[in-house]
Amino acid sequence: MKQPRGRPVVKKTYPISWAIISLQQLYLLFQFCLDCGSRLTSRAARFSGATIFMDYICCFGHKRTWCSSPSYHRYTHINSLLSFSTTLCGIRFSSMKHLMQLCEMPFISKTVFNGHRKKWLFPVIYKMYNDEKLSIMSKLKFAGKLSISGDAQYDSPGFSAKMCTYTIMNSETNEIIDFIVIQKGQYEGELEKQACQLLLEILIREHELDVEIFVTDRHTGIGAMMRENFPAVYHAFDAWHMAKSLQKKLTACAKKHPKVGSWTQMLVRHFWWSCRECKGNVDLLIEMFHSCLFHILDIHNWGRRRKIHSQFGELRVGSRPYPTRPVLMKQ
């Protein structure tokens, strides 16, 4: 079989059940009766959302109606599928409707759109979410000590945010454990702190999860809340916010000391490298990151087993200046 000229046909990696067809091309298919094969005397297309109904009459009096989509209790599948797909893709109804109008295609009304979601989509999502949540909670109860991380997301940037969504994730499996949404004015104080405290109380006290490490950003309110309400949980900061804080401090220092500016990006990259290569060892992390001071002093070779951070007491005490070269201790 000869290949058609032009670009090669690309095979789709997903199943195809629907197609877009021109109305003029559809009329070409309806010239003869589907029952007796005689020529049609009249034909007319009508629409119900994105569904096409073709009413035709042949010369022998057969009156039939052809539908472009299967139906179930007066609900056609294509209209329901458009409602579900639009919602699951995160597209607003107005944007999708505007797209269909530009393409001169029929689309469902907003009332039908909301009815499909409320009647079928939302109950299925709610059931699947609860089943998955119960499955994750049952696994975590027998998983032993947990390392989790959390962060907040606001509905709008700045200080005018009304809604706060706080999400907690399992750091080892990258699974979302739970989330909570609170509204401004519902609780006193900062939204992120209140949402974090409520969600931790649900996980630790209601679901009885054994949380050992909780990783967040450098939120001062959350730090104080963890020390007061959850002293048994080790509170840690994630590396991204630590690197951001380091870069911010070095940038501020470079305004008074311009030479620091030339080292800022390299020091931040060295911090990321230290976090990756320390394999979770805190002492090794400090030792590897403090080695940047030797690199700044143009010393790049020293004993690997030597504790570098034990020598930095000689580098700066009070207002004494930095020495030109550090004194390396003998093993």
Side-chain angles (χ1 to χ4, degrees):
M1 182 178 180
K2 295 183 179 180
Q3 293 290 339
R5 294 183 179 181
R7 297 181 179 179
V9 179
V10 180
K11 295 183 178 180
K12 300 297 183 181
T13 57
Y14 52 89
I16 299 177
S17 303
W18 305 89
I20 298 176
I21 185 173
S22 170
L23 192 59
Q24 295 179 354
Q25 298 298 116
L26 185 63
Y27 274 121
L28 296 177
L29 299 177
F30 285 90
Q31 296 182 359
F32 300 94
C33 180
L34 299 179
D35 294 335
C36 61
S38 60
R39 187 171 293 276
L40 301 181
T41 57
S42 65
R43 57 187 178 180
R46 53 188 176 89
F47 303 94
S48 175
T51 308
I52 305 175
F53 293 93
M54 184 67 71
D55 302 323
Y56 62 89
I57 304 175
C58 70
C59 58
F60 287 98
H62 295 146
K63 297 181 180 180
R64 299 290 185 269
T65 299
W66 174 85
C67 181
S68 62
S69 170
S71 61
Y72 179 77
H73 290 288
R74 299 183 297 107
Y75 295 100
T76 56
H77 294 180
I78 183 62
N79 291 340
S80 304
L81 185 62
L82 286 174
S83 301
F84 304 156
S85 303
T86 303
T87 304
L88 296 177
C89 291
I91 306 174
R92 294 182 299 176
F93 172 81
S94 57
S95 301
M96 190 64 183
K97 184 178 181 180
H98 185 56
L99 172 64
M100 301 295 281
Q101 289 176 349
L102 291 177
C103 297
E104 298 181 353
M105 297 180 183
F107 195 56
I108 56 179
S109 64
K110 192 171 184 180
T111 303
V112 175
F113 176 77
N114 292 331
H116 289 166
R117 299 195 305 171
K118 183 178 179 180
K119 187 174 183 179
W120 291 315
L121 183 61
F122 290 160
V124 173
I125 293 177
Y126 184 73
K127 182 180 182 303
M128 290 295 297
Y129 170 76
N130 285 334
D131 293 343
E132 186 67 18
K133 181 179 178 180
L134 292 176
S135 176
I136 292 176
M137 290 298 178
S138 61
K139 293 178 182 179
L140 294 178
K141 285 183 179 180
F142 301 99
K145 298 193 177 294
L146 301 175
S147 175
I148 61 176
S149 56
D151 197 8
Q153 181 181 5
Y154 295 91
D155 60 334
S156 60
F159 297 95
S160 59
K162 183 180 180 181
M163 310 294 294
C164 175
T165 304
Y166 201 88
T167 308
I168 288 184
M169 180 185 72
N170 188 353
S171 302
E172 298 178 356
T173 61
N174 293 334
E175 289 182 338
I176 300 298
I177 300 177
D178 202 354
F179 71 93
I180 191 172
V181 181
I182 64 173
Q183 184 177 352
K184 189 175 182 179
Q186 187 176 359
Y187 300 94
E188 296 182 358
E190 300 177 350
L191 293 178
E192 184 172 355
K193 173 187 172 183
Q194 295 295 332
C196 178
Q197 181 177 351
L198 289 174
L199 192 54
L200 283 178
E201 290 177 352
I202 293 174
L203 295 179
I204 296 177
R205 296 171 183 173
E206 292 186 12
H207 295 285
E208 298 180 352
L209 298 183
D210 188 6
V211 179
E212 181 182 16
I213 301 175
F214 182 47
V215 183
T216 64
D217 55 6
R218 304 189 67 190
H219 194 284
T220 56
I222 293 180
M225 181 268 297
M226 293 297 298
R227 291 190 298 269
E228 295 175 0
N229 300 334
F230 305 96
V233 179
Y234 180 77
H235 183 215
F237 299 140
D238 67 288
W240 185 87
H241 284 89
M242 292 296 296
K244 181 181 178 181
S245 176
L246 176 62
Q247 184 175 9
K248 184 177 180 181
K249 292 179 179 180
L250 291 174
T251 303
C253 181
K255 296 179 180 179
K256 296 182 179 180
H257 308 281
K259 292 184 178 181
V260 178
S262 59
W263 286 92
T264 300
Q265 294 299 327
M266 288 178 282
L267 290 175
V268 174
R269 287 197 296 267
H270 183 77
F271 173 77
W272 277 109
W273 175 82
S274 302
C275 294
R276 185 182 70 246
E277 298 297 330
C278 71
K279 307 300 182 182
N281 191 335
V282 179
D283 295 332
L284 183 59
L285 170 62
I286 298 175
E287 179 178 342
M288 295 176 71
F289 180 66
H290 281 173
S291 67
C292 65
L293 298 180
F294 286 91
H295 292 294
I296 293 175
L297 296 174
D298 200 18
I299 298 177
H300 309 289
N301 296 310
W302 55 85
R304 293 185 178 180
R305 298 181 181 179
R306 187 178 293 111
K307 289 290 184 179
I308 300 173
H309 63 273
S310 62
Q311 304 176 42
F312 288 99
E314 303 292 336
L315 292 180
R316 185 172 182 84
V317 177
S319 60
R320 291 193 300 172
Y322 286 102
T324 55
R325 295 177 66 86
V327 180
L328 299 180
M329 297 186 300
K330 295 182 180 181
Q331 292 183 353

